[in-house]
Amino acid sequence: MNREPWPDLRGVHVFVVDDNDDSRRLLEQALHYCGALATVFSSAEAALEAVNEYLPTLIISDISMPGMTGLDFIRRLRERPPEKGGVIPAIAVTAFYEEFVVLTARAAGFDAYLRKPINFEALCMLVDHVAGIKRQRDDSAA
């Protein structure tokens, strides 16, 4: 695998939220391959609680999960003030790729969307892009 065109994600901390063990593991491995730090959660509730302790650079969350769905998770996150995580960029992932699902994810508060199975190079490129937008916002606010 040629790593040259892949982005360097060192310094990017991603919360990965997915109830499927294999999906979580694969997302984590792809992010680590590009140098990102990935913290994984098997439930949206656990990830939401963790945001109380630490604000990651961005969040990748499955939409379809038992209990609190990814849509519920991002809606609750977006209700928070910026300093409590309300503006953390978020990427939705799901096996369901229909225009309605994409529009629903965006309306709920996700900034971007990827369809499973995930193309890992596309994932890392999107993470780099979304993290770059966050860095630009942070720089202009300073």
Side-chain angles (χ1 to χ4, degrees):
M1 191 179 321
N2 181 6
R3 186 177 163 166
E4 277 188 45
W6 291 46
D8 180 355
L9 298 178
R10 286 178 289 189
V12 175
H13 186 179
V14 182
F15 277 10
V16 174
V17 187
D18 197 315
D19 63 310
N20 182 283
D21 292 336
D22 292 335
S23 292
R24 254 192 338 270
R25 194 172 315 113
L26 290 171
L27 288 166
E28 179 182 30
Q29 288 174 350
L31 292 164
H32 283 169
Y33 182 78
C34 289
L37 171 64
T39 304
V40 298
F41 301 92
S42 60
S43 73
E45 294 89 351
L48 198 58
E49 184 65 31
V51 170
N52 291 330
E53 302 297 319
Y54 184 82
L55 300 179
T57 309
L58 63 94
I59 295 169
I60 297 173
S61 177
D62 186 22
I63 291 178
S64 301
M65 294 184 286
M68 183 187 298
T69 68
L71 296 173
D72 296 333
F73 167 69
I74 198 65
R75 287 181 187 120
R76 292 201 37 205
L77 189 66
R78 294 297 180 240
E79 292 172 352
R80 295 178 175 201
E83 66 275 6
K84 299 286 185 179
V87 295
I88 298 170
I91 299 170
V93 295
T94 188
F96 305 105
Y97 191 81
E98 299 167 1
E99 188 172 343
F100 173 76
V101 175
V102 174
L103 293 174
T104 301
R106 291 231 183 235
F110 283 101
D111 299 290
Y113 185 94
L114 280 174
R115 180 174 63 159
K116 290 181 181 180
I118 301 295
N119 172 301
F120 297 125
E121 185 175 359
L123 168 72
C124 290
M125 298 295 276
L126 185 58
V127 167
D128 186 47
H129 175 72
V130 173
I133 291 170
K134 181 186 183 312
R135 283 188 214 107
Q136 288 174 351
R137 272 193 242 140
D138 291 349
D139 291 345
S140 66

